[in-house]
Amino acid sequence: MSTSSCPQCSLENIYQDGALWICADCGHEWVPGEAAASALVVRDSNGNVLVAGDTVTVIKDLKVKGSSIPLKQGTVIRNIRLVEDDAEHIEGNSEKIKGLVLKTCFLRKA
Ligand SMILES: [Zn+2]
């Protein structure tokens, strides 16, 4: 796999930070060579496959660790990221809360 372009958006505005490569355009972070080796499949509550960059909807009210604001049913999480070696969680930001880690069983692909 070439490291001259972002595997997510294919733009070439990327830079290296330690072992990580980071895309300045979409914010995608990856380790060269690992994406191809990973067979991890992440699925939502309906069994649909989720990939980085997907938009998902929260299907029930959720408490958020470290936040007094609950995550409401119906909240849209755009541009999700997958958690390495963890098919049960994704990362993403809602409009109000940044840096969420969410269980995929409470999400539905939008
Ligand atoms: Zn990118």
Side-chain angles (χ1 to χ4, degrees):
M1 190 173 79
S2 165
T3 54
S4 64
S5 63
C6 171
Q8 182 161 282
C9 70
S10 78
L11 295 176
E12 296 183 358
N13 192 14
I14 62 174
Y15 58 94
Q16 192 169 11
D17 182 6
L20 268 184
W21 283 83
I22 300 167
C23 174
D25 286 300
C26 70
H28 183 57
E29 300 175 355
W30 73 100
V31 177
E34 275 203 356
S38 171
L40 195 70
V41 177
V42 181
R43 294 180 191 275
D44 72 0
S45 57
N46 289 335
N48 293 313
V49 175
L50 298 174
V51 297
D54 273 351
T55 299
V56 297
T57 306
V58 178
I59 60 170
K60 62 171 287 213
D61 288 1
L62 298 175
K63 284 188 177 161
V64 179
K65 260 187 221 164
S67 171
S68 56
I69 316 169
L71 196 62
K72 287 281 187 194
Q73 179 182 353
T75 300
V76 174
I77 311 289
R78 294 181 210 285
N79 196 19
I80 63 165
R81 284 174 296 149
L82 305 185
V83 180
E84 195 178 339
D85 296 327
D86 185 346
E88 295 186 355
H89 296 87
I90 58 98
E91 298 176 344
N93 302 323
S94 73
E95 276 180 24
K96 290 179 183 157
I97 312 167
K98 306 296 178 199
L100 290 163
V101 178
L102 298 166
K103 277 189 167 261
T104 53
C105 59
F106 298 136
L107 302 173
R108 195 180 57 216
K109 193 167 178 168

